[in-house]
């Protein structure tokens, strides 16, 4: 079930990201999780690694965000530079109710 949902997400999102990269933009795939009982960042990263192995449009970076409620969010950088990054995957916890996203060419910040 997880692989099926991730496959659908990849079909929807990666073409859009590839178009942006073709324009010279840096891209990040952000995956949102609201179901802690059925998934976690490790299982998702392992499934993605298998699904992306056959795709030419593999994203450089994938961020996985647990958004279990309005306030307590955890962000996991599960892919870095096109490779699974679980061994160096430090998480960041933040208050989702206070998030502001600042975007600039080549960078994004949560403050």
């Amino acid at each position: 079930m997880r692989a099926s949902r991730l496959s659908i997400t990849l079909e929807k999102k990666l073409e859009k990201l590839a178009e942006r990269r073709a324009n010279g933009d840096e891209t990040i795939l952000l995956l949102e999780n609201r179901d802690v009982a059925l998934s976690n960042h490790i299982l998702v990263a392992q499934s993605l690694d298998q699904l992306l192995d056959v795709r030419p449009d593999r994203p450089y970076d994938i961020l996985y965000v647990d958004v279990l409620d309005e306030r307590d969010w955890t962000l996991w950088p599960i892919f870095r530079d096109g490779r699974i990054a679980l061994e160096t995957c430090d998480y960041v916890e933040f208050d989702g109710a206070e998030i502001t996203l600042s975007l600039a060419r080549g960078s994004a910040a949560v403050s």
Side-chain angles (χ1 to χ4, degrees):
M1 187 163 160
R2 176 183 309 109
S4 174
R5 288 189 314 217
L6 287 170
S7 182
I8 291 167
T9 298
L10 294 175
E11 287 300 321
K12 289 180 182 178
K13 301 296 181 184
L14 293 186
E15 185 177 332
K16 293 176 187 177
L17 293 178
E19 290 172 11
R20 299 302 307 182
R21 277 198 307 272
N23 291 332
D25 295 329
E26 292 185 27
T27 60
I28 298 171
L29 176 60
L30 181 66
L31 298 175
E32 182 179 305
N33 176 48
R34 294 183 183 273
D35 189 358
V36 71
L38 295 177
S39 201
N40 66 54
H41 69 285
I42 295 170
L43 296 173
V44 169
Q46 291 170 339
S47 292
L48 283 170
D49 200 34
Q50 292 176 358
L51 290 168
L52 292 169
D53 194 42
V54 297
R55 296 190 64 109
D57 54 356
R58 185 179 186 108
Y60 297 122
D61 296 300
I62 301 175
L63 303 178
Y64 178 83
V65 184
D66 279 324
V67 291
L68 303 178
D69 60 40
E70 188 175 298
R71 300 197 71 89
D72 299 321
W73 291 13
T74 306
L75 182 138
W76 301 88
I78 58 176
F79 271 72
R80 294 277 178 109
D81 298 322
R83 295 190 176 133
I84 194 168
L86 291 177
E87 63 280 348
T88 60
C89 182
D90 292 328
Y91 65 91
V92 177
E93 293 179 336
F94 56 96
D95 185 342
E98 297 180 7
I99 190 171
T100 59
L101 186 60
S102 303
L103 296 174
R105 182 167 169 73
S107 66
V110 176
S111 57

